[in-house]
Amino acid sequence: AVVSTQSGHYGRGVAAMQNIIETGRVLRDRNTLPIKYPLKEVVVVDADPAVLQDARSLESYIVGELNVRKMTVSSDKDKYDVKLTAKPNHMILGKRLKKDFKPVSAAIAALTDSELTAMQETGSRSILGHEIGYEELHVSYQVKSDTGSYEAASMHGVLILLDCTTDQEMMDEGQAREVINRVQKMRKRAGLVPTDKISVFYKFDGDTKNNEDMIRTVNSHKDMIETAIKSPFSGAPPPENIIFTDEVEVKGCKFVLTICGDREAAPTQQWPTGRPTGKFLQVIFDGSSREVLLSPNGQNLTTHRLQNEVKAMFGLFGRTIQLSHNGDVVKLSASDLTHLDGGTVDVTVQ
């Protein structure tokens, strides 16, 4: 049925986005590619123009959640030379077919892409006198492409291709995201609030290959790290006003991170309880509570920015989250949240 209402279109689009993200994450897991490490491309393939339009309308979210450089949509599966292949489910068919299992197994392996597609639509196929159900097969996609190393999977009827090619630049960016993650965890352990003015210092010991790679990473991605942690990030010796220090490890490289600052430097910016002054809301996730400024640096907080803040606070990068206020879902938009002053937002992972 065609959904004609705006809310219906929105709901359908969100469902499509979630399906794409879920499938993309499955492909990442299969290939041991953590979400912190960027990939070149995700391709959405479907014959229905409405599905492709839904994907385009939420491209920024899909690209962000899967951490890919770009998203491509296509109705042409043959363009990427994607073929279905099948193997029998040995546990099910072996027990049922007994001595006929071996010839039927060979016949299943010889099924073409078009035959498997037809079998997928009908639910079963007669093979050497036996009715074989589609669910009795282990079906996968093979991709032959000269433009990338694609892996493919289909969940909920939409075919997703993920270019799993990596290069040094993408590996370095992934390591920079790991560093950001370590800093954010240290901030939480130190009990810092958003208004605390801090600086972060790093120190490497020795000149091992792992250290050389990490030093290159922090030098080439310094701006990215500072933007994410909203603080200076330096390899200089730390001053004496140390708040928290710890040894961390990223990809076999151990180094020391030190957070410095003076929480007493601006007492007028905090409540006696340590909460920030001005408009703020309380964010709760998994029993933990944090306060978020509604107008940081004079700019009103939007739901888009709040999602990023929440993911940074609770280490939820790469996860799909839902925000709710008084039981109602806070919809994604560019509108500010100043009307939630003093309120509470609950976070759930989907």
Side-chain angles (χ1 to χ4, degrees), residues 14 20 26 36 117 122 128 134 212 227 259-260 264 324 342 349:
V14 170
I20 294 166
V26 167
K36 291 184 180 69
T117 300
T122 60
L128 299 182
Y134 189 77
E212 291 175 4
T227 299
I259 296 177
C260 296
E264 304 299 324
S324 59
V349 175

Side-chain angles (χ1 to χ4, degrees), residues 183 186-193 195-201 231 238-246 257-265 270:
V183 173
M186 285 180 61
R187 290 179 67 113
K188 183 176 180 179
R189 289 168 61 193
L192 295 167
V193 297
T195 49
D196 284 323
K197 295 184 181 299
I198 64 166
S199 296
V200 183
F201 299 85
S231 304
E240 294 182 358
N241 56 339
I242 294 175
I243 296 175
F244 198 89
T245 187
D246 194 16
L257 288 176
T258 302
I259 296 177
C260 296
D262 188 352
R263 301 185 201 190
E264 304 299 324
Q270 295 182 350

Side-chain angles (χ1 to χ4, degrees), residues 11 17 21 45 75 88 102 117 134 150 154 199 205 214 226 245 261 311 318-319 341 347:
M17 175 190 71
I21 292 171
V45 182
S75 59
K102 189 172 182 179
T117 300
Y134 189 77
Y150 290 97
S154 178
S199 296
D205 289 324
M214 189 58 64
E226 290 186 333
T245 187
K311 290 180 179 181
R319 309 285 295 277
D341 182 26
V347 182

Side-chain angles (χ1 to χ4, degrees), residues 158-175:
V158 180
L159 177 62
I160 304 300
L161 281 67
L162 192 67
D163 188 348
C164 296
T165 306
T166 58
D167 56 29
Q168 191 60 59
E169 180 184 352
M170 290 190 289
M171 292 298 293
D172 285 352
E173 181 177 326
Q175 290 194 150

Side-chain angles (χ1 to χ4, degrees), residues 14-35:
V14 170
M17 175 190 71
Q18 291 173 337
N19 291 341
I20 294 166
I21 292 171
E22 180 183 357
T23 308
R25 286 178 181 160
V26 167
L27 288 170
R28 273 188 172 272
D29 289 343
R30 285 181 187 173
N31 293 275
T32 321
L33 295 168
I35 199 70

Side-chain angles (χ1 to χ4, degrees), residues 11-271:
R12 185 188 66 192
V14 170
M17 175 190 71
Q18 291 173 337
N19 291 341
I20 294 166
I21 292 171
E22 180 183 357
T23 308
R25 286 178 181 160
V26 167
L27 288 170
R28 273 188 172 272
D29 289 343
R30 285 181 187 173
N31 293 275
T32 321
L33 295 168
I35 199 70
K36 291 184 180 69
Y37 291 77
L39 294 174
K40 290 183 178 180
E41 181 184 28
V42 60
V43 182
V44 181
V45 182
D46 199 277
D48 187 349
V51 172
L52 300 182
Q53 181 56 42
D54 289 340
R56 285 194 194 96
S57 68
L58 292 166
E59 178 177 356
S60 61
Y61 299 109
I62 295 170
V63 168
E65 291 295 326
L66 288 179
N67 192 14
V68 293
R69 302 292 197 204
K70 68 174 182 176
M71 183 186 80
T72 302
V73 298
S74 175
S75 59
D76 186 5
K77 188 176 78 168
D78 294 336
K79 175 182 177 181
Y80 294 90
D81 199 10
V82 185
K83 306 294 183 185
L84 278 172
T85 62
K87 296 179 180 178
N89 185 317
H90 288 253
M91 185 173 294
I92 296 175
L93 290 178
K95 184 177 181 179
R96 177 159 77 86
L97 300 178
K98 296 183 172 58
K99 64 183 179 62
D100 290 339
F101 175 73
K102 189 172 182 179
V104 171
S105 178
I108 289 172
L111 291 173
T112 65
D113 177 76
S114 59
E115 289 171 335
L116 285 168
T117 300
M119 187 177 179
Q120 185 180 34
E121 294 174 355
T122 60
S124 65
R125 180 185 178 89
S126 178
I127 301 177
L128 299 182
H130 297 277
E131 195 68 18
I132 306 298
Y134 189 77
E135 72 280 358
E136 294 178 302
L137 307 179
H138 292 303
V139 181
S140 60
Y141 287 91
Q142 287 187 347
V143 186
K144 296 180 180 179
S145 174
D146 297 330
T147 59
S149 178
Y150 290 97
E151 295 290 335
S154 178
M155 296 171 62
H156 313 291
V158 180
L159 177 62
I160 304 300
L161 281 67
L162 192 67
D163 188 348
C164 296
T165 306
T166 58
D167 56 29
Q168 191 60 59
E169 180 184 352
M170 290 190 289
M171 292 298 293
D172 285 352
E173 181 177 326
Q175 290 194 150
R177 288 175 180 267
E178 297 271 17
V179 173
I180 292 166
N181 173 264
R182 303 304 188 274
V183 173
Q184 303 294 25
K185 286 183 176 180
M186 285 180 61
R187 290 179 67 113
K188 183 176 180 179
R189 289 168 61 193
L192 295 167
V193 297
T195 49
D196 284 323
K197 295 184 181 299
I198 64 166
S199 296
V200 183
F201 299 85
Y202 59 87
K203 179 184 178 182
F204 297 94
D205 289 324
D207 55 359
T208 66
K209 179 62 168 62
N210 287 338
N211 283 3
E212 291 175 4
D213 291 342
M214 189 58 64
I215 291 170
R216 182 189 64 247
T217 293
V218 297
N219 286 335
S220 61
H221 291 79
K222 185 174 185 292
D223 289 344
M224 170 187 167
I225 295 171
E226 290 186 333
T227 299
I229 67 175
K230 299 182 177 65
S231 304
F233 187 72
S234 171
E240 294 182 358
N241 56 339
I242 294 175
I243 296 175
F244 198 89
T245 187
D246 194 16
E247 183 181 66
V248 300
E249 182 175 354
V250 174
K251 292 293 182 180
C253 175
K254 294 183 178 181
F255 55 101
V256 175
L257 288 176
T258 302
I259 296 177
C260 296
D262 188 352
R263 301 185 201 190
E264 304 299 324
T268 58
Q269 296 297 312
Q270 295 182 350
W271 297 104

Side-chain angles (χ1 to χ4, degrees), residues 292-321:
V292 179
L293 291 169
L294 287 171
S295 299
N297 301 320
Q299 296 182 340
N300 290 339
L301 188 70
T302 65
T303 50
H304 295 159
R305 292 182 61 193
L306 177 59
Q307 275 213 342
N308 291 331
E309 291 284 342
V310 168
K311 290 180 179 181
M313 286 178 180
F314 300 109
L316 298 175
F317 284 116
R319 309 285 295 277
T320 300
I321 63 173

